[in-house]
Amino acid sequence: AAGVREEDCDVLGCVVERKRIADLVGRSAVGDHVKQLERMESCGSSHPFLLLEGDVRHANSCPVYDEDRSAEGTDGSAIHSGGDIDELCARFLVAGSRVGVITTRDAE
């Protein structure tokens, strides 16, 4: 903020990547979410979080953009359903990822 001295500020070591369910699904075919999560994992923040906004049960009604490009070098990580989102979160847990996941049914 303007007029605030740097020595008067504390950094919490927290970074949050906010994703609406429709955005996560829509851009998933080309692996954008995977790249962002990898950057979060390696950013040096003590507490990286993925904030998912919206009801995951509606993921199957969201269009997946550029799915025809998904064969061009992605790992088949397109998200089509709430189950796919659950699987993504489970992979964080199993892999011991530092990225935490926060979900809210509110879309904004």
Side-chain angles (χ1 to χ4, degrees):
V4 177
R5 298 180 319 195
E6 186 173 334
E7 57 269 13
D8 292 334
C9 298
D10 289 324
V11 177
L12 298 176
C14 179
V15 63
V16 177
E17 174 65 32
R18 177 179 161 254
K19 288 276 182 222
R20 292 183 184 148
I21 296 299
D23 295 335
L24 177 66
V25 172
R27 296 172 49 95
S28 67
V30 292
D32 287 346
H33 63 296
V34 173
K35 294 170 196 161
Q36 289 174 328
L37 295 169
E38 288 171 349
R39 285 194 302 267
M40 287 178 67
E41 184 73 44
S42 62
C43 76
S45 172
S46 311
H47 308 288
F49 292 97
L50 172 64
L51 172 61
L52 294 176
E53 295 181 328
D55 192 333
V56 296
R57 294 176 295 181
H58 297 290
N60 62 342
S61 65
C62 300
V64 179
Y65 305 113
D66 298 324
E67 197 156 20
D68 56 326
R69 290 178 45 201
S70 66
E72 299 173 11
T74 64
D75 61 0
S77 57
I79 294 173
H80 295 94
S81 67
D84 292 342
I85 294 171
D86 291 342
E87 185 177 320
L88 174 67
C89 295
R91 278 190 268 159
F92 290 147
L93 183 63
V94 170
S97 174
R98 294 180 319 113
V99 178
V101 179
I102 303 168
T103 61
T104 178
R105 289 193 177 160
D106 296 330
E108 303 215 15

